[in-house]
Amino acid sequence: MAEPLLRTRFPRGAVVPIIAAAIWWLASSTDLLSGPMAVSPWQVIQTPFLDASGRELWGALLASILRVFAGGLLGGVAGLILGYVAGMYRAAGLGLAPTIHTVRQVALFAWIPLLTAWFGNGEGTKLVFTALSAFFPLFLATEQGIRQVPRPLAEVAETLALRPTTRILRLYLPAALPNIYVGLQIAALSAWIGTIGAEYAIGNGRGLGSYIASARDQFRMDIVIIGVFALAAGGVLLAAAIRLATSKLSPWNREI
Amino acid sequence: MINALSIEHVSKSYVLEGASRPVLKDVSFQVRHNEIVAIVGASGCGKSTLLRLIVGLDDAYRGSIIRGGPDGSASAKVGMVFQDHRLYPWLTVESNIGLAFDNTNLSASARRQRVRYYLDLVGLGDYARAYPRQLSGGMAQRAAIARALAQEPDILLMDEPFGALDSILRMRLQDELLTIWERNRVSIVIVTHDVEEALYLADRVLVMEPNPGRIRDVFEVGLPRPRDRGGFVLSDLKKRCLSTLV
């Protein structure tokens, strides 16, 4: 009986990466992979600890995380508020939503030339770009969530003569929360991609994106690869943090 | 003002596919203070619509609805219990009931006290901190009744409040409702499709018929409470009531 238990504990998702790493390791140790661009797994693992420019990874990662939080908060709050207004009031919904839905169709990275023209080649553009990438998912999710508030519950608010603030805090926000949570997860990942993308495209300052960009310019494949790993790890951590926070925030959905 | 509620010549119609369809036609009746009036009728006779008009969820109608306060003032408080409990799933039972005091100037401690009082009244004292999904159907419905009562309404409207419950639980809640009604001076208008329930609870039973919804007949149930569910008078009334309905 113990055996199937053990078997289920082995993370099946790890099989493909382990096989890929093994092939990579074999290829580089048998000189199948060679040339200036070839690096071994061991080299890549050592880079962030032993190499002088490799060690900058940590600072870059921290800078990107701070940026994704600052920009994400900015855009997320804006998306939440505008999404609430658009979902709640017919006039606002009719006036606001078509514009936002149209603007959303513009590929995110097409904004970079405009944004750099408006906000310069520095922190401002990166923040605005991150905010923009968090804004759309949260706007959409909140708008939908508010629209889907069950009519029967809204009628109760009517018969109990609830005050407007109570309606927002006790009815509309909690009812829209499942949608907002999904929007938040999409927004977090979108903001992370936005942050890295903006750093990469603008190329200056501290951050994972510019870190990878400059490593590429110097043909440092070990740094590029560890940078990509850090990027993936950052995304996974961000998603996990959001999931944890959201499950803590809705106790009524927990099991009895 | 002697009536808690006066409905005068109320008519309402929906527009469906360009044609106007009457749901209520010239409905008039009065509810005295502290009286229980039951409305029975086939589905589609507009009895739920009538309650929605009285509570103010819909104000597109002709005629007049006057909600008289207890001391002659013309602004009675109206509470409503729906067929589904409609508790907010993200609030505990006590917070749900607490919503009834949202639009009052009561202090926090007075609110807590009253929430407790109404929780005990419906026998949910031990479930203050439970979420609605942790309650059974009957408990949730009792919580909904507590929430409506906590508004301390002059008129309590109930739209098939026990319709979704099994028959034993239904009888128990009917008795609970009568106990509560005796303790709190309140007029009740209860819509039901169950003739027995109507006759057991009400002082008067209005029988409605559909297409368009109108009052067909009124039965006075002049029996003292508690009533004998299987008693001769109730059975006879039930027979007469059903003969107008079917």
Side-chain angles (χ1 to χ4, degrees), chain A residues 150-163 166 170-171 174-175 251-256, chain B residues 52 55-57 78 80 82 84 86-91 95-96 99-100 102-103 131 133-134 147 151:
Chain A
R151 218 185 128 75
L153 297 188
E155 286 180 356
V156 168
E158 207 62 49
T159 64
L160 293 175
L162 299 186
R163 288 173 298 136
T166 313
R170 292 290 170 93
L171 174 61
W252 61 89
N253 279 330
R254 258 184 244 144
E255 285 307 306
I256 297 166
Chain B
R52 297 172 64 83
V55 79
L57 283 174
V78 183
M80 176 107 174
F82 299 90
D84 41 340
R86 300 196 181 186
L87 299 172
Y88 288 3
W90 40 84
L91 298 182
S95 305
N96 264 296
L99 288 177
D102 184 58
N103 213 354
Y131 286 102
R133 65 187 286 263
Q134 296 169 308
R147 180 176 63 184
Q151 289 184 86

Side-chain angles (χ1 to χ4, degrees), chain A residues 208-256:
Chain A
L208 262 188
S210 41
Y211 178 75
I212 294 172
S214 69
R216 180 206 54 190
D217 293 344
Q218 294 157 20
F219 299 103
R220 287 292 304 271
M221 286 320 280
D222 53 340
I223 295 183
V224 170
I225 290 173
I226 198 71
V228 171
F229 281 145
L231 206 157
V236 169
L237 277 178
L238 206 60
I242 297 282
R243 247 198 316 275
L244 187 76
T246 53
S247 75
K248 283 260 190 288
L249 279 173
S250 37
W252 61 89
N253 279 330
R254 258 184 244 144
E255 285 307 306
I256 297 166

